[in-house]
Amino acid sequence: MSKPVVLVTGANGEIGRSLLERMHQEGRYSVVTVDLRPLPERYRPLCLENYAGNIMDRYLLDQIAAHHEIAVVFHLAALLSTRGERDPELAHQVNVEGTLHLLRMANSQSQRLGRAVRFLFPSSIAVYGLPDVAEKKRAGRVTEEQWNVPITMYGCNKLYCEHLGRYFTQYYRQLGALSTAARLDFRALRFPGLISAETVPTGGTSDFGPEMLHAAAQGHPYKCFVGPDARIPFMAMPDAVQSMLQLLEADRERLTQSVYNVSAFSPTAGEIAARVKKIYPGAEITYEPDPVRAKIVDSWPEDIDDSRARRDWGWNPAYNFERAMDDYLVPGIKQLYAK
Ligand code: SER
């Protein structure tokens, strides 16, 4: 039997590249990718087919769906939170309209195949909005339902798309003739800031974590755009990929909701800097908080309560802060910049 086909949008991004490598190692899926920028040469052999194009192009999506029996969609393409504040309308277009195009495609694919296409969506801590640092401290670890009042366009987009996904799964065209046809099966993860040994993110607001580390590894000074006390949750990329694959494979009957927090560790910017300096004693890290970016970070929770994910589908991160640094990030980054 041929392997199920997985479509990955934004495959050339930070999560995408790690996901492609991991799926290739496991060898259980055939992967089709779409990204604005063509995939670098080394990732292409990992995939069945690569499309360079825009998710706003519905004809391209129809063409992809016509050529492949897509069983799973990882919809990773998005503009992150800082970029989204620079161009809110574009963020809305890509993050919301783009997602709608993918949901629509996955739904017609579900009808065509007569079974639910699984649709995996990375949401974010950006869906939360705490009014100030005092409230953030009081709130501590927040559950999925608390503080859903984001202050960024990106956060609003992610929160709304979580609802769209739930709607498509349970109610899409509930009045129409096709109301009993197969619908897609949407599953979202609310990720903390992600740190990868291979890539530095672009346009995010949690970027100070990865940027600090990658700058030190290259011997560059780093000006941190939040103060040393700023605290948000982070996760090592292998755990993020693991959580997506685990949620993908979870039995539908075990899922009590369509949206899950996943958490790993939660250092302050100062604690990240201290760890980086221990590894790279010459690292030059200074703080020059940007008022808006710092406010966005202050509006995100200190940590998120992921007990629902642990209970429903056995989520358990492999990397705490120390292990993430010592066993994954530092060796990976040393290798990256030695090339
Ligand atoms: N990492 C994202 C950002 O900073 C949040 O999900 O925008």
Side-chain angles (χ1 to χ4, degrees), residues 19-151:
L19 181 64
L20 296 189
E21 280 182 343
R22 174 73 188 272
M23 284 197 291
H24 179 69
Q25 280 160 14
E26 294 198 348
R28 298 172 51 195
Y29 300 99
S30 292
V31 180
V32 173
T33 69
V34 56
D35 199 296
L36 272 180
R37 298 161 304 154
L39 267 186
E41 199 55 58
R42 82 177 173 100
Y43 293 94
R44 290 186 210 164
L46 315 184
C47 309
L48 179 67
E49 195 148 0
N50 307 113
Y51 294 86
N54 196 324
I55 55 161
M56 303 307 292
D57 179 354
R58 289 177 59 179
Y59 298 102
L60 173 65
L61 296 183
D62 287 347
Q63 192 194 340
I64 297 172
H67 278 88
H68 306 282
E69 289 197 355
I70 296 163
V72 175
V73 176
F74 283 98
H75 176 38
L76 311 179
L79 254 64
L80 294 182
S81 56
T82 293
R83 179 82 204 288
E85 289 317 289
R86 300 208 165 107
D87 201 340
E89 279 80 16
L90 180 67
H92 190 278
Q93 253 172 33
V94 175
N95 297 350
V96 175
E97 287 173 46
T99 301
L100 185 62
H101 291 332
L102 264 304
L103 287 168
R104 208 189 276 126
M105 188 211 84
N107 209 66
S108 44
Q109 193 78 348
S110 304
Q111 286 170 2
R112 183 157 77 91
L113 304 178
R115 59 172 190 268
V117 169
R118 292 195 176 179
F119 193 108
L120 274 287
F121 183 70
S123 186
S124 161
I125 49 166
V127 303
Y128 299 106
L130 283 303
D132 52 47
V133 176
E135 197 65 62
K136 168 168 169 157
K137 281 222 163 68
R138 255 199 304 277
R141 283 158 64 88
V142 303
T143 63
E144 282 85 351
E145 281 70 36
Q146 293 176 307
W147 296 105
N148 287 180
V149 275
I151 72 161

Side-chain angles (χ1 to χ4, degrees), residues 14 79-83 122-127 152 154-155 158 190-194 201-208 225 232 234 293 296-297 300:
E14 216 199 353
L79 254 64
L80 294 182
S81 56
T82 293
R83 179 82 204 288
S123 186
S124 161
I125 49 166
V127 303
T152 60
Y154 171 79
K158 287 288 184 188
R190 285 191 187 154
F191 281 131
L194 299 179
T202 41
T205 315
S206 59
D207 294 4
F208 62 91
F225 58 81
I232 52 166
F234 280 97
R293 295 182 93 188
I296 293 173
V297 168
W300 292 349

Side-chain angles (χ1 to χ4, degrees), residues 133-337:
V133 176
E135 197 65 62
K136 168 168 169 157
K137 281 222 163 68
R138 255 199 304 277
R141 283 158 64 88
V142 303
T143 63
E144 282 85 351
E145 281 70 36
Q146 293 176 307
W147 296 105
N148 287 180
V149 275
I151 72 161
T152 60
M153 176 54 104
Y154 171 79
C156 295
N157 297 162
K158 287 288 184 188
L159 187 58
Y160 173 59
C161 288
E162 290 177 359
H163 286 294
L164 267 185
R166 182 179 54 79
Y167 168 77
F168 265 78
T169 302
Q170 294 178 30
Y171 306 108
Y172 183 63
R173 292 198 182 279
Q174 53 192 322
L175 270 180
L178 291 175
S179 63
T180 54
R183 296 194 178 101
L184 57 81
D185 177 348
F186 176 90
R187 302 163 179 211
L189 291 142
R190 285 191 187 154
F191 281 131
L194 299 179
I195 315 187
S196 165
E198 287 170 42
T199 41
V200 192
T202 41
T205 315
S206 59
D207 294 4
F208 62 91
E211 281 175 0
M212 214 181 260
L213 181 61
H214 282 263
Q218 296 171 87
H220 298 160
Y222 185 66
K223 279 189 197 139
C224 184
F225 58 81
V226 298
D229 296 330
R231 186 191 297 281
I232 52 166
F234 280 97
M235 181 180 285
M237 189 56 80
D239 269 338
V241 168
Q242 170 66 25
S243 69
M244 283 193 293
L245 293 173
Q246 225 175 305
L247 181 57
L248 163 66
E249 278 151 27
D251 287 341
R252 181 75 234 176
E253 301 73 62
R254 300 200 52 187
L255 304 183
T256 56
Q257 300 289 333
S258 50
V259 175
Y260 289 92
N261 279 347
V262 281
S263 189
F265 48 88
S266 204
T268 61
E271 286 163 1
I272 302 177
R275 193 89 201 172
V276 168
K277 281 187 185 153
K278 220 168 120 192
I279 301 154
Y280 300 101
E284 225 181 282
I285 299 167
T286 51
Y287 298 91
E288 266 185 38
D290 171 285
V292 179
R293 295 182 93 188
K295 185 175 158 58
I296 293 173
V297 168
D298 287 345
S299 80
W300 292 349
E302 286 198 344
D303 202 357
I304 51 179
D305 180 338
D306 59 3
S307 43
R308 183 192 283 172
R310 289 174 186 260
R311 193 182 53 234
D312 282 9
W313 46 275
W315 164 243
N316 189 16
Y319 293 94
N320 61 19
F321 186 34
E322 289 70 33
R323 272 209 66 208
M325 281 290 194
D326 299 347
D327 297 356
Y328 164 65
L329 290 165
V330 173
I333 285 176
K334 281 202 169 130
Q335 221 181 3
L336 177 73
Y337 296 114

